[in-house]
Amino acid sequence: GALPYVYALGDFGHSYILDQHEESRSSVAASGNCLISFVAPEVAAGSVSSMASDVYSAGRIMEHMINLSATFKDLFDKESRTQVRQLRALVGQMCNSKPEGRPTSDKASRTLSLI
């Protein structure tokens, strides 16, 4: 059957370093106080975050989870291996370096619900 785990992601859109002043909260990426591999390239370059950058970040987190699951790949049945391949394809789209090449959050969500 399906993978025996349930994962959930929260909305990090309003997250910030606790000791930062409100005026500097949008500059977290530029300050080096973030996990840069999960930050969309345009945000790391100084642009304001957007829904497309959130899709990128969610994709990077999912990519990390999928890579960690490879440790257990011998336990996956055929259906689970198919789901992982489908997830990798979706994550590849979500992690497109160009915002316009990423699916919308609605499309990513619908695709994910079908996997």
Side-chain angles (χ1 to χ4, degrees), residues 3 7 64-73 76 84 88:
L3 296 174
Y7 297 100
H64 187 68
M65 292 167 55
I66 291 168
N67 289 340
L68 291 173
S69 75
T71 305
F72 307 102
K73 68 181 178 188
F76 291 172
V84 170
R88 284 190 188 281

Side-chain angles (χ1 to χ4, degrees), residues 9 16 19 38 40 47 50 60 70 77 114:
L9 294 176
Y16 56 91
D19 61 354
F38 295 145
S47 293
S50 65
R60 291 303 306 257
D77 58 18
L114 296 173

Side-chain angles (χ1 to χ4, degrees), residues 4-115:
Y5 305 101
V6 175
Y7 297 100
L9 294 176
D11 180 3
F12 300 112
H14 296 287
S15 62
Y16 56 91
I17 306 299
L18 286 176
D19 61 354
Q20 278 189 311
H21 295 291
E22 188 170 336
E23 307 83 48
S24 64
R25 289 183 183 167
S26 63
S27 63
V28 172
S31 70
N33 290 325
C34 64
L35 194 51
I36 200 73
S37 64
F38 295 145
V39 175
E42 65 275 14
V43 174
S47 293
V48 175
S49 61
S50 65
M51 189 63 74
S53 65
D54 287 349
V55 167
Y56 179 91
S57 296
R60 291 303 306 257
I61 292 168
M62 289 171 56
E63 178 182 51
H64 187 68
M65 292 167 55
I66 291 168
N67 289 340
L68 291 173
S69 75
T71 305
F72 307 102
K73 68 181 178 188
D74 294 338
L75 304 175
F76 291 172
D77 58 18
K78 185 177 180 179
E79 181 182 355
S80 296
R81 287 190 297 273
T82 299
Q83 288 174 320
V84 170
R85 279 194 299 279
Q86 292 170 330
L87 283 171
R88 284 190 188 281
L90 174 60
V91 165
Q93 295 169 9
M94 293 171 72
C95 294
N96 190 310
S97 63
K98 303 215 180 290
E100 61 275 5
R102 299 176 199 143
T104 64
S105 60
D106 285 341
K107 181 170 175 31
S109 179
R110 283 193 308 274
T111 303
L112 190 57
S113 71
L114 296 173
I115 294 178

